[in-house]
Coordinates of all heavy atoms in Angstrom, one line a residue:
A47 N -25.0 4.4 19.7 CA -25.9 3.3 19.5 C -25.3 2.1 18.8 O -25.8 1.0 18.9 CB -27.1 3.8 18.6
R48 N -24.2 2.4 18.2 CA -23.5 1.3 17.4 C -22.2 0.8 18.3 O -21.9 -0.3 18.3 CB -23.1 1.7 16.1 CG -22.3 0.8 15.2 CD -23.3 -0.1 14.6 NE -22.6 -1.1 13.8 CZ -22.8 -2.4 13.9 NH1 -23.7 -2.9 14.6 NH2 -22.1 -3.2 13.1
W49 N -21.5 1.8 18.8 CA -20.3 1.4 19.6 C -20.4 2.2 20.9 O -20.7 3.3 21.0 CB -19.1 2.1 18.8 CG -18.9 1.5 17.5 CD1 -18.6 0.2 17.1 CD2 -19.0 2.2 16.2 NE1 -18.4 0.0 15.7 CE2 -18.6 1.3 15.2 CE3 -19.2 3.5 15.8 CZ2 -18.7 1.6 13.9 CZ3 -19.2 3.8 14.6 CH2 -19.0 2.9 13.6
R50 N -19.9 1.4 21.9 CA -19.9 1.9 23.3 C -18.7 2.8 23.5 O -18.8 3.7 24.4 CB -19.8 0.8 24.3 CG -20.0 1.2 25.7 CD -20.2 0.2 26.8 NE -20.0 -1.1 26.4 CZ -19.4 -2.0 27.1 NH1 -18.8 -1.7 28.3 NH2 -19.3 -3.3 26.8
H51 N -17.6 2.6 22.8 CA -16.4 3.5 23.0 C -16.0 4.1 21.6 O -14.8 3.8 21.2 CB -15.3 2.7 23.6 CG -15.7 2.1 24.9 ND1 -15.8 2.9 26.0 CD2 -15.8 0.8 25.3 CE1 -16.1 2.1 27.0 NE2 -16.1 0.8 26.6
P52 N -16.8 4.8 20.9 CA -16.4 5.2 19.5 C -15.1 6.2 19.5 O -14.3 6.1 18.6 CB -17.6 5.9 19.0 CG -18.3 6.4 20.2 CD -18.1 5.3 21.2
M53 N -15.0 7.0 20.6 CA -13.9 7.8 20.6 C -12.5 7.1 20.7 O -11.6 7.3 20.1 CB -14.0 8.8 21.9 CG -13.1 10.0 21.7 SD -13.4 11.2 23.1 CE -15.3 11.3 23.1
Y54 N -12.6 6.1 21.7 CA -11.4 5.2 21.8 C -11.2 4.3 20.5 O -10.0 4.1 20.2 CB -11.6 4.3 23.0 CG -11.5 5.1 24.3 CD1 -12.5 5.2 25.1 CD2 -10.3 5.7 24.7 CE1 -12.4 5.9 26.3 CE2 -10.2 6.5 25.8 CZ -11.3 6.5 26.7 OH -11.2 7.2 27.8
I55 N -12.3 3.9 19.9 CA -12.2 3.2 18.6 C -11.4 4.0 17.6 O -10.4 3.5 16.9 CB -13.5 2.7 18.1 CG1 -14.0 1.6 19.0 CG2 -13.3 2.2 16.6 CD1 -15.4 1.2 18.7
A56 N -11.7 5.3 17.5 CA -11.1 6.2 16.5 C -9.6 6.3 16.9 O -8.7 6.4 16.1 CB -11.8 7.5 16.6
I57 N -9.3 6.5 18.2 CA -8.0 6.6 18.7 C -7.2 5.3 18.4 O -6.0 5.3 17.9 CB -7.8 7.0 20.2 CG1 -8.5 8.4 20.4 CG2 -6.4 7.0 20.6 CD1 -8.7 8.8 21.8
W58 N -7.8 4.1 18.6 CA -7.2 2.9 18.3 C -6.8 2.8 16.8 O -5.7 2.3 16.4 CB -8.0 1.8 18.7 CG -7.7 1.1 20.1 CD1 -8.6 1.1 21.2 CD2 -6.5 0.5 20.6 NE1 -7.9 0.6 22.3 CE2 -6.7 0.2 21.9 CE3 -5.3 0.4 20.0 CZ2 -5.7 -0.3 22.6 CZ3 -4.3 -0.3 20.7 CH2 -4.5 -0.6 22.1
L59 N -7.8 3.2 16.0 CA -7.5 3.1 14.5 C -6.4 3.9 14.1 O -5.5 3.6 13.3 CB -8.8 3.5 13.8 CG -10.0 2.6 13.8 CD1 -11.2 3.2 13.2 CD2 -9.6 1.3 13.1
S60 N -6.3 5.1 14.7 CA -5.2 6.0 14.5 C -3.9 5.5 15.0 O -2.8 5.5 14.2 CB -5.4 7.4 15.1 OG -4.4 8.2 15.0
A61 N -3.8 4.9 16.1 CA -2.6 4.3 16.7 C -2.2 3.1 15.8 O -1.0 2.9 15.6 CB -2.9 3.8 18.2
L62 N -3.1 2.3 15.4 CA -2.8 1.1 14.7 C -2.3 1.5 13.2 O -1.5 0.7 12.6 CB -3.9 0.1 14.6 CG -4.3 -0.5 16.0 CD1 -5.6 -1.4 15.8 CD2 -3.1 -1.4 16.5
T63 N -2.7 2.6 12.6 CA -2.2 2.9 11.4 C -1.0 3.9 11.4 O -0.3 4.0 10.4 CB -3.3 3.7 10.5 OG1 -3.9 4.7 11.3 CG2 -4.4 2.7 10.1
Q64 N -0.7 4.3 12.6 CA 0.4 5.3 12.8 C 1.7 4.6 12.2 O 2.5 5.3 11.5 CB 0.6 5.6 14.2 CG 1.7 6.6 14.4 CD 1.3 8.1 14.1 OE1 0.1 8.3 13.8 NE2 2.3 8.9 13.9
P65 N 2.1 3.4 12.6 CA 3.3 2.7 12.0 C 3.4 2.7 10.5 O 4.4 2.7 9.9 CB 3.3 1.3 12.6 CG 2.4 1.4 13.8 CD 1.4 2.5 13.5
L66 N 2.2 2.6 9.9 CA 2.2 2.6 8.4 C 2.4 4.0 7.9 O 2.9 4.2 6.6 CB 0.9 2.1 7.8 CG 0.4 0.7 8.3 CD1 -1.0 0.5 7.9 CD2 1.4 -0.3 7.8
L67 N 2.2 5.1 8.5 CA 2.3 6.4 8.0 C 3.6 7.1 8.3 O 4.0 8.0 7.6 CB 1.2 7.3 8.5 CG -0.3 6.8 8.2 CD1 -1.3 7.6 8.9 CD2 -0.4 7.0 6.7
V68 N 4.2 6.6 9.4 CA 5.5 7.3 9.9 C 6.6 6.4 9.2 O 6.6 5.2 9.2 CB 5.6 7.2 11.4 CG1 7.0 7.7 11.9 CG2 4.5 8.0 12.0
H69 N 7.6 7.1 8.7 CA 8.8 6.4 8.0 C 9.7 5.6 9.0 O 10.4 4.7 8.5 CB 9.6 7.4 7.2 CG 8.8 7.9 6.0 ND1 8.5 7.2 5.0 CD2 8.2 9.1 5.9 CE1 7.9 7.9 4.0 NE2 7.7 9.1 4.6
N70 N 9.6 5.9 10.3 CA 10.4 5.1 11.2 C 9.4 4.1 11.9 O 8.6 4.6 12.8 CB 11.0 6.1 12.2 CG 11.9 5.4 13.3 OD1 11.6 4.3 13.6 ND2 12.9 6.0 13.7
L71 N 9.5 2.9 11.6 CA 8.6 1.9 12.1 C 8.5 1.9 13.7 O 7.5 1.8 14.3 CB 8.8 0.5 11.6 CG 7.8 -0.6 11.9 CD1 6.5 -0.2 11.4 CD2 8.3 -1.9 11.4
V72 N 9.7 2.0 14.3 CA 9.8 1.9 15.7 C 9.1 3.2 16.3 O 8.2 3.0 17.3 CB 11.2 1.8 16.2 CG1 11.3 2.0 17.8 CG2 11.9 0.6 15.7
A73 N 9.3 4.3 15.9 CA 8.7 5.5 16.4 C 7.2 5.4 16.1 O 6.4 5.9 17.0 CB 9.2 6.8 15.7

Side-chain angles (χ1 to χ4, degrees):
R48 181 81 181 131
W49 299 295
R50 191 169 4 136
H51 301 290
M53 199 176 309
Y54 290 115
I55 291 171
I57 297 169
W58 267 118
L59 290 172
S60 178
L62 294 172
T63 51
Q64 185 77 14
L66 301 173
L67 297 172
V68 176
H69 291 285
N70 182 328
L71 185 62
V72 173

